[in-house]
Amino acid sequence: MHEPAITPELVQKHNLTPDEYTKILTVLGRPPTYTELGIFSVMWSEHCSYKNTRPLLKTFPTKGANILVGAGEENAGIIDVGDGLAIAFKIESHNHPSAVEPFQGAATGVGGIIRDIFTMGARPVAALNSLRFGELSNPEVRRLFTGVVSGIAHYGNCFGIPTIAGEVYFDKSYEGNPLVNAFALGVLRHDQITRGAARGVGNPVFYVGPATGRDGLAGAAFASQDLTEESAEQQRGAVQVGDPFMEKLVCEACLELLATGAVAGMQDMGAAGLTCSTCETAARAGTGIEIELNLVPQRAPNMSSYEIMLSESQERMLIVVTKGREEEVKRVFEKWDLPWAEIGVVTDTGRMVVRHGGQIVVDVPAAKLADEAPIYFREAKEPAYLAAVRAFRLDGLADTTNPGQDLPKLLADHTIASKNWVYRQYDHMVRDGSIVCPGSDAAVIRIKADSVPVLRADMDPTANVDKYVAFTVDCNGGYVYLDPYEGGKAAVAEACRNLACTGATPVGATDNLNYGNPHNPEIFWQLKESVRGLADACRAFNAPVTGGNVSLYNQRGALGSIDPTPTVAVVGVIADPAHITTQWFKKEGDVIILLGAPIDLADPLQGLGGSAYLRAIHGRKTGTPPRLDLDQAVALHEAMRALIYGGRVKSAHDCSEGGLIVAVAESCFSQQIARETHRFIGATLDLTAFSDGREDALLFGETQNRIVISASPVDAGKLLAQAAALGVPAHLIGQVGGDTLTVKTARGTFSAPVADLHDPWWNSIARVMA
């Protein structure tokens, strides 16, 4: 087979620097083959090696009493949830593929994260996503938005996993480079944890799943370079094509196979395909692996070794089988009508050897390829724009004169508005474990007996105890842009606050770090500072990071870089289903209580910096975002759970984008009792006691650490006293009832029918997408 000569131009085309190529020569002791060059280019890409971020990632808290598989050990982290049960979860990005081919890019992002879960031995039971787009007034953004949501819906719905939560933000910075971050969670017993390691010298190596094609060629390398018009056109072939029905078969076959005990190791062929799965499994086990490419099922004729090794065709798994049990394995594959092939063997050489037609085309030390990519400590410099951000003051910015007009505008803002146009396309009830569906602060699922993977014959299927798991995903990229450290803290705090409002205690977090080009010192400073904020917050909330993903080079030509977006998904558990709490008001006559300070008067911007109000009403994206005191946040969350456990809280909703009045309005109308059937209940607020500060800051400011709760009037005194005893400010601010939202302040009163406020909130996205 003819291969091109290795030239400096070819090395550069593979996104490798001269120094990296020199290191390859040192590792091999000779020039690489063309296939080896391609292998190093994907394995040493940022997407696979984290060469620009690994030192930062080591600053995350990753240890905890309940962690069974920690960050960086395997495809996903695993946390003990009691009674011999555990959950596996992770979030990953598919940003560049979704920018180029939105439907398949998003669909295969879902498929990839699902495989990361079942390759650990867990049954996938729930999914969520975090999406970022430009402004919907742009027809190209609407095309991308439609394609991405359709792709997520297609894959999740066909596979049969509930897509039960998520978030969508719209900002001009994402116009040329949308973000598509996919999360999945699965359940397993402790003794069902599977490792992605090629253990057992002499054990055969099996390939299972559809044949390898030329789709998805070198997708990991594509994800590790700037996105340009030229690269997008050239790299359409780097976008994989997914088949969710095939993935369902592969999942069921793998889980059944694991129950036999015949599997010595298993790894999905995700980023870098066959390359990553072979070298990483060998590196983890300290063994070697040898495969023959002629034995690999191939979809296209005359595929080169380079193409076979670097293809990222979907729904494929690499399975190491205990020698002597091959026939059992084959029977399972054939039962599920899956293509399979025995393609190699585990060796004791420590090397990844690839033959093609008997000829050696790859011979590299597996551990050096998988674990010893070059590590860079990039220059970090504070961005120049932050001087103007910090200098911004409210002087000259008129206070609101008509909050009754401002509120509907904020509710119609696409970032604040209901995302029902998105989630109504998702099946969020499949598997019948969904307790709290999209539309509240966090999703809740019930882990029940049929959630556990296939049981061995010696397992008692009745021993399972129901578990209630809550999860959410959050990040205000605007906050991070304006203050990376505070924005990083706020992302974790909001996620944990959402869990607290649901009655859940955090047990772990997974993050997806989305940024621009790390070679830019200002962007690397954003990354460094926001990671510091994330790490501090995760420590404060006792939510260790179990893994995640880094996605850099998210920028496009003249459109520039995205806002730094460290997306954080946090998972929590709820011990008693009676404690599950939702955000909407429940009964006429109930009192409304605000936990936390109405307004942070020590903040020069009074919570308006970086706020949705400042952006939507005044067209300004500036000002330092609200400060977040982690000690106060921990106290608030612990108090929230204590109040819920006391049985007196009927609803709880955190104050975030849009501030206090948006949170109250959403509590009035966010309950959907049937499809297109909404429950409206009004509220009357009296905020006249809070006359210090600006009215727009009181109503729409985003002062941190605040939650709106409702309760029976007879419990109001006890709740206020208990909150005070727990060190949390609490204020009786109103009453539930009627069909209008009425707000009285020291400067006047405004009122609007709840149904009229609901309309722009519920329909604004659908109207622009019609």
Side-chain angles (χ1 to χ4, degrees):
M1 288 174 281
H2 174 72
E3 292 189 340
I6 307 299
T7 64
E9 292 75 22
L10 189 64
V11 171
Q12 184 180 23
K13 187 177 180 181
H14 280 76
N15 214 30
L16 292 163
T17 68
D19 287 345
E20 289 170 346
Y21 183 69
T22 299
K23 183 170 182 176
I24 292 171
L25 295 177
T26 302
V27 168
L28 295 178
R30 58 172 172 79
T33 66
Y34 178 55
T35 303
E36 287 171 338
L37 183 70
I39 284 173
F40 275 100
S41 78
V42 294
M43 289 305 299
W44 286 7
S45 68
E46 176 65 31
H47 190 79
C48 291
S49 72
Y50 304 127
K51 60 188 178 185
N52 292 295
T53 53
R54 192 173 294 187
L56 297 179
L57 301 180
K58 289 182 178 179
T59 66
F60 282 135
T62 58
K63 305 298 182 183
N66 295 330
I67 292 182
L68 302 178
V69 176
E73 293 181 32
E74 293 285 348
N75 294 281
I78 298 182
I79 289 182
D80 174 28
V81 292
D83 297 308
L85 289 178
I87 51 175
F89 59 87
K90 188 182 181 183
I91 192 169
E92 280 207 346
S93 64
H94 236 219
N95 300 336
H96 282 187
S98 299
V100 174
E101 291 287 350
F103 181 90
Q104 288 295 352
T108 52
V110 174
I113 199 65
I114 289 174
R115 284 196 303 281
D116 278 340
I117 299 305
F118 72 72
T119 196
M120 298 300 301
R123 176 173 294 284
V125 296
L128 62 76
N129 53 77
S130 173
L131 311 177
R132 300 289 189 282
F133 297 93
E135 296 171 350
L136 287 178
S137 56
N138 184 329
E140 174 62 10
V141 171
R142 295 198 296 273
R143 183 187 72 85
L144 292 171
F145 186 35
T146 299
V148 164
V149 172
S150 297
I152 292 170
H154 167 73
Y155 210 100
N157 294 354
C158 293
F159 179 85
I161 186 171
T163 303
I164 195 170
E167 60 166 3
V168 191
Y169 277 72
F170 300 92
D171 186 273
K172 201 171 183 62
S173 77
Y174 305 105
E175 191 167 293
N177 200 127
L179 302 184
V180 178
N181 295 175
F183 166 102
L185 180 143
V187 60
L188 71 167
R189 294 188 182 275
H190 293 189
D191 57 359
Q192 293 174 320
I193 296 173
T194 303
R195 299 285 181 168
R199 293 192 175 91
V201 173
N203 279 341
V205 176
F206 278 75
Y207 169 117
V208 63
T212 296
R214 292 189 172 98
D215 59 310
L217 194 61
F222 170 47
S224 303
Q225 57 184 292
D226 286 349
L227 184 64
T228 65
E229 299 304 324
E230 293 75 18
S231 71
E233 190 57 40
Q234 293 167 3
Q235 294 292 342
R236 290 192 188 279
V239 181
Q240 308 94 328
V241 177
D243 181 349
F245 300 107
M246 175 63 75
E247 178 128 325
K248 179 64 172 175
L249 296 177
V250 173
C251 175
E252 296 300 333
C254 287
L255 293 179
E256 182 173 330
L257 188 60
L258 290 171
T260 68
V263 175
M266 184 165 68
Q267 171 86 352
D268 77 302
M269 297 187 206
L274 192 54
T275 289
C276 190
S277 58
T278 49
C279 76
E280 284 191 350
T281 52
R284 287 190 186 117
T287 59
I289 194 166
E290 185 169 328
I291 62 172
E292 167 56 62
L293 296 185
N294 275 0
L295 299 175
V296 173
Q298 296 165 44
R299 192 183 310 152
N302 303 317
M303 289 185 69
S304 68
S305 53
Y306 181 100
E307 291 171 329
I308 298 170
M309 289 301 295
L310 271 64
S311 168
E312 294 181 11
S313 294
Q314 295 289 284
E315 293 89 37
R316 301 176 301 156
M317 303 291 289
L318 191 80
I319 300 176
V320 179
V321 175
T322 302
K323 190 172 178 60
R325 304 191 67 177
E326 294 89 340
E327 293 307 314
E328 292 177 67
V329 171
K330 293 174 186 177
R331 282 196 294 272
V332 172
F333 293 155
E334 288 165 0
K335 169 188 172 181
W336 291 98
D337 198 24
L338 286 172
W340 61 269
E342 186 176 340
I343 65 169
V345 65
V346 177
T347 68
D348 61 0
T349 65
R351 304 185 73 83
M352 180 177 82
V353 177
V354 179
R355 298 179 184 272
H356 199 175
Q359 176 184 351
I360 294 178
V361 293
V362 174
D363 185 355
V364 300
K368 289 187 178 294
L369 177 62
D371 302 327
E372 296 185 25
I375 300 298
Y376 297 107
F377 296 84
R378 298 293 180 194
E379 179 188 356
K381 184 178 76 171
E382 183 176 292
Y385 70 82
L386 286 179
V389 168
R390 291 169 183 153
F392 175 77
R393 291 294 180 267
L394 300 175
D395 303 336
L397 190 77
D399 199 343
T400 181
T401 57
N402 197 335
Q405 287 185 0
D406 294 337
L407 178 57
K409 290 178 183 176
L410 273 172
L411 292 171
D413 181 82
H414 294 148
T415 292
I416 292 177
S418 168
K419 306 306 182 299
N420 70 88
W421 183 89
V422 175
Y423 64 71
R424 72 185 181 191
Q425 299 182 52
Y426 304 153
D427 187 338
H428 44 264
M429 295 297 293
V430 64
R431 298 194 58 80
D432 197 30
S434 304
I435 303 294
V436 179
C437 294
S440 196
D441 282 302
V444 181
I445 61 167
R446 176 171 66 103
I447 294 174
K448 45 196 175 65
D450 67 356
S451 299
V452 182
V454 179
L455 301 175
R456 296 196 311 267
D458 61 343
M459 288 183 176
D460 179 5
T462 65
N464 182 59
V465 178
D466 283 358
K467 299 293 178 183
Y468 296 86
V469 176
F471 44 94
T472 186
V473 61
D474 284 291
C475 179
N476 186 323
Y479 280 3
V480 185
Y481 171 76
L482 298 169
D483 188 328
Y485 176 70
E486 288 295 332
K489 287 196 305 183
V492 179
E494 183 176 354
C496 292
R497 193 163 63 244
N498 285 332
L499 293 183
C501 289
T502 310
T505 301
V507 294
T510 176
D511 62 84
N512 205 136
L513 306 178
N514 306 275
Y515 296 81
N517 191 320
H519 296 268
N520 181 331
E522 294 190 348
I523 287 175
F524 195 76
W525 187 87
Q526 292 175 335
L527 173 57
K528 185 176 179 180
E529 282 297 291
S530 54
V531 165
R532 185 167 69 91
L534 294 176
D536 284 352
C538 285
R539 273 187 285 270
F541 297 116
N542 195 24
V545 176
T546 63
N549 176 242
V550 178
S551 175
L552 305 183
Y553 306 95
N554 289 292
Q555 54 192 61
R556 192 163 187 165
L559 294 172
S561 174
I562 64 164
D563 281 354
T565 310
T567 303
V568 180
V570 183
V571 178
V573 295
I574 302 174
D576 185 340
H579 297 155
I580 296 171
T581 307
T582 51
Q583 72 181 38
W584 39 84
F585 295 144
K586 302 300 187 294
K587 186 179 178 182
E588 298 257 352
D590 284 346
V591 294
I592 303 169
I593 295 172
L594 173 65
L595 301 179
I599 187 171
D600 182 2
L601 294 173
D603 174 4
L605 304 184
Q606 300 180 28
L608 289 174
S611 66
Y613 172 82
L614 200 62
R615 173 176 46 81
I617 304 301
H618 293 282
R620 307 288 294 273
K621 181 180 173 180
T622 189
T624 52
R627 304 172 304 166
L628 185 118
D629 185 302
L630 287 173
D631 291 337
Q632 290 179 7
V634 170
L636 174 68
H637 300 182
E638 290 178 348
M640 184 71 260
R641 284 187 286 270
L643 298 179
I644 288 173
Y645 299 165
R648 298 187 178 98
V649 175
K650 292 188 177 182
S651 73
H653 185 24
D654 84 307
C655 295
S656 55
E657 287 88 355
L660 173 62
I661 302 306
V662 165
V664 171
E666 289 174 337
S667 301
C668 290
F669 54 54
S670 56
Q671 184 181 16
Q672 192 177 9
I673 56 178
R675 183 173 174 82
E676 299 300 332
T677 304
H678 311 281
R679 178 174 179 265
F680 299 148
I681 186 167
T684 300
L685 301 186
D686 185 347
L687 305 178
T688 54
F690 314 119
S691 56
D692 296 336
R694 294 169 61 107
E695 183 162 333
D696 53 6
L698 173 64
L699 299 177
F700 308 117
E702 295 173 10
T703 292
Q704 294 291 288
N705 297 331
R706 298 184 301 166
I707 298 173
V708 173
I709 67 173
S710 67
S712 172
V714 298
D715 292 326
K718 294 176 182 177
L719 285 171
L720 292 169
Q722 187 177 0
L726 294 169
V728 173
H731 309 273
L732 183 63
I733 62 170
Q735 188 173 46
V736 176
D739 57 6
T740 65
L741 173 59
T742 300
V743 181
K744 184 178 181 181
T745 72
R747 300 179 190 175
T749 302
F750 68 94
S751 180
V754 171
D756 289 353
L757 295 175
H758 175 267
D759 178 72
W761 178 80
W762 183 261
N763 294 311
S764 68
I765 292 178
R767 284 179 178 138
V768 77
M769 296 303 295

